[in-house]
Each structure stands twice: as structure tokens, then as C-alpha cells.
């Protein structure tokens, strides 16, 4: 520890072991997250990727890819129209589905539906592992996304209905970007929802009329970047005020909103927003780094939201992402809008080019 009580060393090796454990065994406190296993796996896989340690799980790579594909909700083998609006990725096999690594079609189950956040993390995890997405039923995923959009442009999580807010707007934007197809959603409606959610203090809220917050601010700005609409939606004056709101969230690390304590994860949510707004030079990087490292566990690895608390998968992942934004030695660069490594994003760009070449051949 330094004289000021802030850890100076980055325990990379211990964090690698922490993420590997997250893929193998979890404490009983995680049992309530059983339906979200895919998201926890994403935190671990992307964490290992950003730490340049995916080679540590090379032997399990193909099995992991098959497991992710086993969570894809596919159209019914006899009648695609029967459940095509329910397709996407589920978070786990909790509902009791038979293991199927998306290699064959099967009969659909009445209550088996995708979840928008799991579809995002599922696709992202496949990209991280270098998969070519050839087993993704793109038409079904995009049709499943179509029914999740509401009249105000926002999205709910499942076709049965749920809360709707900026988190799911971001998930929808990432899904469309990754599949290189925006045709099943009304982009203009979504853009308007984001614009209407800008608060009086120039943070973005979960929805119109609500309080500006660091997480929704990232989700809204990143979505507009992925849509290539950021500069056309907000004026230069508005963008400068959004930057100002974000910069003012730094205390030592970052807080999510005014008068709240700093929290490790906002080094990504706010930090990535500032990066997307091309203003990261205004961040006090040493102070931010010091806070992030003060939350790492020197025994088990991993990061917590506050110093001297238990580490968890979410804060461990976003702590590593926060360090990546500051170009920490031994940490890969991330693509701030997609929330994956730049290496994985480059792999995605290669897939997009391949798909476009195939489409061009059909047009000849």
C-alpha cells in the first residue's frame, strides 16, 4: 500500500484467476442470478480477453461456444412462425430446455423466450471467443427484437413484457450493430427516446422526465455512436454540457450522479462516455487509477465497488475496463461503445466485410 492507503500495484495474475473461477464455480450468493448466467460468463470472458488471458481457457473454448449456442432460442422446427417473435438468447437453461448447441432445430416450448440483455451478452461472448456467428439465426434474433420495441422507441426485455429503459435501448443497438442489420427497429423513434431522456442537468436518464444517471448516459451516448447519429441529435452546446456533467462526476474515481459515493463501475460507465465524447484528456487518470486499485482484492483477485468490500464479477469486469481506458500496461484496448475488446471489435468488422461480400455476390 502507498502512504495514502491506495494500492500501487495492479494484481493482474490474481484477476485472471478470479475470472477463471467465475467460469467454473460461484459462491452461493450468486444463486439468485441463475437465470443470468450468460451475463456473468460475459463478464468473465471479456475480462480475460481484456487481460490478454483468453489463452488460459483455450482447451475449454469450443465447449464454451457450444454452451452459449445452447442458450439460443431457435424457431420451432416445424413452424418458424410459431415462436419466431420469441427468439434470441436466454440467460441459462433454468426453464429445463434440452441441451442443443444450435446445430439442429427442435420443437419450441411455450414459455421459452429470449431476453434482450442475454442476446447482447451472448453475441458479444461469441465474438470474444472468435466465433463466426454462423449458428446465429439472424432473422429470428432480429424478429425477436422487433416485438420488443415500444411505441415511444424504447425497448422491453422480453416479449411477455418488462420494464423499459435506456439499458435495453443500448442492448438493442448493440445487437443491430453486431448483426449489421437495423431493418427491424424504428431507429428514428429510438433516437427521439434518447433525446427526450436528456435531463435538465445534461445527464441522460432511464427515460423522459427522470433523473440523469451515469449508466443511462453511457447507454444513450453509445447507442447514438453505434447508430452514427450522435452529432445530428445533440447540438454542439448540448454535447459540451453532457461532457461537463460527466467530467463533474469525478471525485477520486467516478460517481454515478451528484451527491453519491464513487463506485468502481462508473470508471467505465462515465469514463467510456467521456472517451466517446473525445474528452478523456480531461480525466484525472492517476486519481481514477488510484481509486480503482484501492478496490482490488490482493488475496482472491477481483474488484469491488468500494474499498474493503467483497469483489464481484460485475465490478471486477468494469474495474478492468476502467483501467483499459487509461491504457494500463498489460491490458488490452476496449471498444468503448460495444464494451468489448478492440480485438473482438476488429474480428466483428471482418465478419461484416465477409457478409457484405457474400451479399454482393448474390446481387451480381
Amino acid at each position: 500500500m502507498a502512504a495514502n492507503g491506495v494500492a500501487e500495484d495492479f494484481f493482474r495474475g490474481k484477476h485472471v484467476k478470479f475470472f477463471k473461477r467465475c467460469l467454473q464455480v460461484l459462491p452461493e450468493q450468486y444463486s439468485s442470478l441463475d437465470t443470468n448466467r450468460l451475463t456473468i460468463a460475459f463478464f468473465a470472458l471479456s475480462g480475460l480477453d481484456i487481460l490478454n488471458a483468453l489463452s488460459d481457457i483455450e482447451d475449454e473454448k469450443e465447449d464454451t461456444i457450444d454452451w452459449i449456442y445452447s442458450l439460443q432460442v431457435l424457431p420451432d422446427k416445424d413452424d418458424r412462425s410459431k415462436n419466431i417473435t420469441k427468439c434470441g438468447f436466454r440467460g441459462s437453461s433454468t426453464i429445463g430446455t434440452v441441451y442443443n448447441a444450435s446445430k439442429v432445430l427442435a420443437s419450441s416450448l411455450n414459455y421459452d423466450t429470449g431476453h434482450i440483455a442475454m442476446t447482447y451478452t451472448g453475441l458479444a461472448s461469441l465474438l470474444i471467443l472468435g466465433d463466426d456467428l454462423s449458428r446465429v439465426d439472424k432473422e429470428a434474433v432480429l424478429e425477436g427484437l422487433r416485438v420488443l420495441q415500444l411505441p415511444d422507441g424504447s425497448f422491453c426485455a422480453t416479449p411477455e413484457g418488462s420494464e423499459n429503459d435506456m439499458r435495453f435501448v443500448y442492448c438493442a443497438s448493440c445487437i443491430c450493430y453486431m448483426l449489421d442489420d437495423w431493418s427491424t427497429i424504428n431507429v428514428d423513434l429510438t433516437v427521439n427516446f434518447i433525446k427526450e431522456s436528456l435531463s435538465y442537468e445534461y445527464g441522460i436518464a432511464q427515460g423522459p422526465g427522470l433523473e440523469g444517471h451515469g449508466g443511462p448516459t453511457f447507454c444513450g451516448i453509445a447507442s447514438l455512436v453505434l447508430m452514427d447519429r450522435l452529432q445530428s441529435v445533440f447540438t454542439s452546446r448540448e454535447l459540451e454540457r453532457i461532457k461537463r456533467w460527466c467530467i463533474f462526476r469525478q471525485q477520486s474515481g467516478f460517481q454515478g450522479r451528484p451527491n453519491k459515493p464513487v463506485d468502481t463501475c462508473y470508471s467505465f460507465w462515465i469514463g467510456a462516455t467521456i472517451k466517446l465524447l473525445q474528452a478523456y484528456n480531461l480525466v484525472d487518470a492517476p486519481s481514477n487509477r488510484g481509486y480503482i486499485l484501492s478496490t482490488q482484492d490482493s488475496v482472491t483477485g477481483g474488484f469491488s465497488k468500494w474499498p474493503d468490500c467483497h469483489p464481484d464479477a460485475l465490478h471486477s469486469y468494469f474495474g478492468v475496463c476502467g483501467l483499459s481506458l487509461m491504457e494500463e500496461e498489460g491490458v488490452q484496448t476496449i471498444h468503448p461503445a460495444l464494451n468489448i475488446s478492440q480485438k473482438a471489435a476488429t474480428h466483428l468488422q471482418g465478419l461484416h466485410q465477409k457478409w457484405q461480400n457474400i451479399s454482393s455476390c448474390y446481387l451480381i
Side-chain angles (χ1 to χ4, degrees):
M1 301 288 285
N4 61 0
V6 175
E8 293 180 321
D9 297 324
F10 172 46
F11 304 121
R12 177 188 172 279
K14 291 184 180 293
H15 302 315
V16 169
K17 290 181 179 179
F18 178 88
F19 286 126
K20 288 171 68 177
R21 284 198 303 275
C22 287
L23 291 173
Q24 297 162 354
V25 61
L26 292 168
E28 65 175 331
Q29 290 91 334
Y30 281 78
S31 60
S32 62
L33 300 176
D34 189 63
T35 56
N36 298 313
R37 286 190 185 195
L38 187 49
T39 292
I40 297 173
F42 163 74
F43 290 147
L45 291 169
S46 197
L48 289 172
D49 186 24
I50 293 170
L51 289 173
N52 277 303
L54 272 183
S55 59
D56 284 23
I57 59 166
E58 185 64 31
D59 291 344
E60 295 88 39
K61 177 180 169 182
E62 292 305 319
D63 286 341
T64 303
I65 289 173
D66 281 348
W67 174 74
I68 295 170
Y69 273 118
S70 78
L71 300 177
Q72 183 175 197
V73 180
L74 292 166
D76 186 85
K77 67 181 180 68
D78 298 316
D79 181 5
R80 286 178 64 88
S81 65
K82 181 178 179 181
N83 71 321
I84 196 168
T85 58
K86 297 180 179 181
C87 293
F89 283 76
R90 61 178 87 84
S92 72
S93 56
T94 300
I95 195 173
T97 52
V98 176
Y99 183 88
N100 172 20
S102 294
K103 294 180 180 179
V104 296
L105 293 177
S107 298
S108 61
L109 298 177
N110 286 336
Y111 300 105
D112 189 22
T113 63
H115 186 290
I116 195 169
M118 305 308 147
T119 302
Y120 158 58
T121 55
L123 292 173
S125 296
L126 289 171
L127 291 170
I128 290 163
L129 292 168
D131 185 70
D132 63 1
L133 305 186
S134 60
R135 280 182 268 169
V136 174
D137 190 322
K138 296 177 188 175
E139 179 195 9
V141 169
L142 291 168
E143 284 300 319
L145 188 60
R146 184 199 299 272
V147 302
L148 299 180
Q149 187 168 30
L150 301 177
D152 65 358
S154 67
F155 291 81
C156 55
T158 65
E160 293 85 3
S162 72
E163 68 269 37
N164 59 295
D165 54 51
M166 205 62 67
R167 296 171 300 168
F168 303 142
V169 166
Y170 173 68
C171 291
S173 300
C174 287
I175 292 165
C176 290
Y177 184 91
M178 289 189 284
L179 296 182
D180 198 23
D181 191 335
W182 298 82
S183 64
T184 60
I185 71 169
N186 188 322
V187 174
D188 289 337
L189 273 181
T190 300
V191 166
N192 188 64
F193 179 81
I194 297 171
K195 184 174 178 60
E196 292 297 315
S197 298
L198 185 66
S199 72
Y200 72 93
E201 56 186 346
Y202 291 92
I204 295 177
Q206 291 283 32
L210 302 177
E211 180 183 15
H213 196 288
T217 298
F218 165 78
C219 291
I221 295 297
S223 295
L224 293 174
V225 168
L226 294 172
M227 296 171 183
D228 196 22
R229 298 284 289 272
L230 180 62
Q231 303 298 327
S232 63
V233 171
F234 294 124
T235 65
S236 297
R237 179 175 178 272
E238 287 172 329
L239 287 172
E240 287 302 314
R241 294 203 169 192
I242 294 170
K243 289 179 190 178
R244 182 178 183 274
W245 185 87
C246 289
I247 293 298
F248 274 38
R249 301 285 65 76
Q250 182 168 18
Q251 310 301 304
S252 51
F254 286 88
Q255 60 185 185
R257 47 188 166 148
N259 301 314
K260 293 292 183 179
V262 294
D263 180 332
T264 302
C265 66
Y266 291 109
S267 291
F268 172 77
W269 298 123
I270 298 289
T273 306
I274 295 171
K275 182 76 84 169
L276 292 171
L277 293 171
Q278 301 180 0
Y280 205 79
N281 60 300
L282 300 176
V283 170
D284 182 346
S287 179
N288 185 35
R289 181 181 185 272
Y291 178 76
I292 295 174
L293 294 185
S294 76
T295 70
Q296 66 180 341
D297 193 307
S298 62
V299 177
T300 65
F303 295 80
S304 56
K305 66 189 300 181
W306 299 316
D308 301 319
C309 293
H310 291 295
D312 62 80
L314 182 149
H315 288 90
S316 297
Y317 174 62
F318 288 121
V320 169
C321 289
L323 292 172
S324 173
L325 291 170
M326 294 181 286
E327 302 179 359
E328 179 77 21
E329 184 178 354
V331 178
Q332 278 206 75
T333 302
I334 63 170
H335 186 293
L338 284 175
N339 185 23
I340 56 177
S341 70
Q342 185 57 55
K343 181 180 74 173
T346 300
H347 170 58
L348 175 61
Q349 290 168 3
L351 293 181
H352 285 179
Q353 187 61 57
K354 177 182 175 181
W355 297 341
Q356 289 165 12
N357 290 342
I358 292 172
S359 296
S360 297
C361 291
Y362 283 129
L363 295 174
I364 295 175

